[in-house]
């Protein structure tokens, strides 16, 4: 997995599981990925070591992967979208829209 794919993977997992992370993990992750701050900039902003920020982000990766391994929300979402695309024909569009409304 290249860097771009890794970043996209964790941003998507964050969308699913971000609320399950600690407040500190959420803060550092948002700063790093959404505000594009470096580890050094984050550490200066929160008066912690650069290594502390790095360790927190690494533990966030592990937590997000663990949540997905156990809950599989992204995998289920991907499977549903694959089915939506496969059956997105005129005769099934109404059914698909009803299913989407239920989500």
């Amino acid at each position: 997995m290249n860097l771009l794919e890794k970043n996209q993977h964790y941003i998507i997992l964050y969308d699913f599981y971000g609320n399950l992370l600690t407040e500190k993990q959420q803060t550092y992750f948002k700063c790093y990925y959404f505000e594009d701050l470096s580890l050094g900039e984050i550490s200066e902003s929160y008066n912690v070591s650069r290594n502390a920020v790095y360790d927190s982000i690494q533990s966030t990766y592990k937590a997000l992967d663990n949540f997905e391994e156990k809950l599989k929300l992204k995998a289920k979402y991907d499977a549903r979208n694959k089915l939506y695309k496969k059956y997105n024909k005129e005769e099934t569009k109404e059914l698909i829209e009803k299913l989407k409304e239920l989500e």
Side-chain angles (χ1 to χ4, degrees):
M1 177 180 328
N2 67 36
L3 183 59
L4 183 60
E5 290 169 335
K6 177 185 173 188
N7 290 347
Q8 183 179 16
H9 170 76
Y10 285 113
I11 289 170
I12 290 169
L13 289 183
Y14 183 85
D15 286 342
F16 283 102
Y17 305 112
N19 290 332
L20 300 176
L21 298 170
T22 67
E23 187 174 326
K24 180 173 70 172
Q25 287 174 320
Q26 289 179 35
T27 300
Y28 293 166
F29 189 91
K30 286 178 189 176
C31 288
Y32 190 68
Y33 281 101
F34 302 132
E35 297 175 23
D36 199 28
L37 297 178
S38 70
L39 298 177
E41 291 170 325
I42 297 168
S43 69
E44 286 178 20
S45 295
Y46 293 95
N47 201 27
V48 295
S49 71
R50 183 188 178 284
N51 198 49
V53 175
Y54 175 82
D55 289 344
S56 178
I57 290 175
Q58 293 302 310
S59 71
T60 301
Y61 294 153
K62 290 177 185 173
L64 291 172
D65 286 332
N66 189 39
F67 292 142
E68 177 59 16
E69 182 181 318
K70 291 184 173 154
L71 301 173
K72 300 190 185 321
L73 295 179
K74 181 184 179 302
K76 291 174 185 176
Y77 175 82
D78 290 343
R80 276 193 313 273
N81 277 341
K82 186 176 178 181
L83 287 172
Y84 289 151
K85 288 177 184 177
K86 181 178 180 181
Y87 295 106
N88 195 12
K89 299 177 181 164
E90 286 301 318
E91 61 270 9
T92 58
K93 278 188 178 183
E94 185 177 322
L95 175 61
I96 289 171
E97 289 305 316
K98 288 180 183 178
L99 287 171
K100 285 181 180 179
E101 288 174 8
L102 293 175
E103 289 185 12

